[in-house]
Amino acid sequence: MARINLLLLLAVIATALYLVHTQYQSRQLYTELDRVQQEARRLELDRDRLQVEKRAQATPLRVEKLAKEQLQMRTTSPAITQYVRPDGSVIPAVAPLPPATPAGAKPAAKPATAARATR
């Protein structure tokens, strides 16, 4: 009978040690889970903040301002628009303006032969 009692005592002690070990692992896993969840929340907040910053950086007004200031771009107008043919030749959108003449002066007349040659 003493052997059975000793065997049962050893079984109870082994079971108790296993239970303590399992609870310890459970607590470690729970704290690791909590830490990972906090990190996920922090990363989600960072993502949301960056999305807001991205939307703020991409506003049309800001893009236009940067294009004008940093890239020296300008808005299109018929005077600066050019159309490119498939062969690579360029067609101006509007005819070039004649050279400016002073306010009282009359423009010089083209010779008749030159006018016919350009047509």
Side-chain angles (χ1 to χ4, degrees):
M1 183 95 157
R3 286 186 178 183
I4 293 178
N5 286 339
L6 184 61
L7 187 63
L8 289 175
L9 179 65
L10 288 175
V12 169
I13 291 173
T15 305
L17 288 174
Y18 180 73
L19 178 65
V20 169
H21 178 69
T22 305
Q23 285 179 342
Y24 177 73
Q25 281 183 332
S26 174
R27 287 184 184 128
Q28 280 186 329
L29 290 173
Y30 182 76
T31 56
E32 179 70 16
L33 175 67
D34 188 46
R35 187 188 62 76
V36 169
Q37 285 176 341
Q38 286 177 354
E39 179 71 11
R41 280 188 292 255
R42 187 189 65 77
L43 290 173
E44 184 68 26
L45 288 173
D46 284 349
R47 182 183 158 274
D48 291 343
R49 181 184 53 81
L50 290 172
Q51 288 289 341
V52 168
E53 285 180 18
K54 180 181 171 184
R55 280 188 225 113
Q57 296 290 326
T59 59
L61 184 61
R62 184 175 186 282
V63 170
E64 184 176 347
K65 179 183 172 191
L66 289 174
K68 285 181 180 180
E69 292 175 0
Q70 293 181 1
L71 302 175
Q72 286 84 35
M73 296 177 83
R74 56 186 179 194
T75 56
T76 61
S77 69
I80 62 171
T81 303
Q82 295 180 343
Y83 297 99
V84 180
R85 292 185 179 139
D87 64 357
S89 61
V90 178
I91 308 167
V94 293
L97 297 174
T101 56
K106 292 184 179 180
K110 288 184 182 179
T113 56
R116 282 188 224 124
T118 58
R119 289 185 186 173

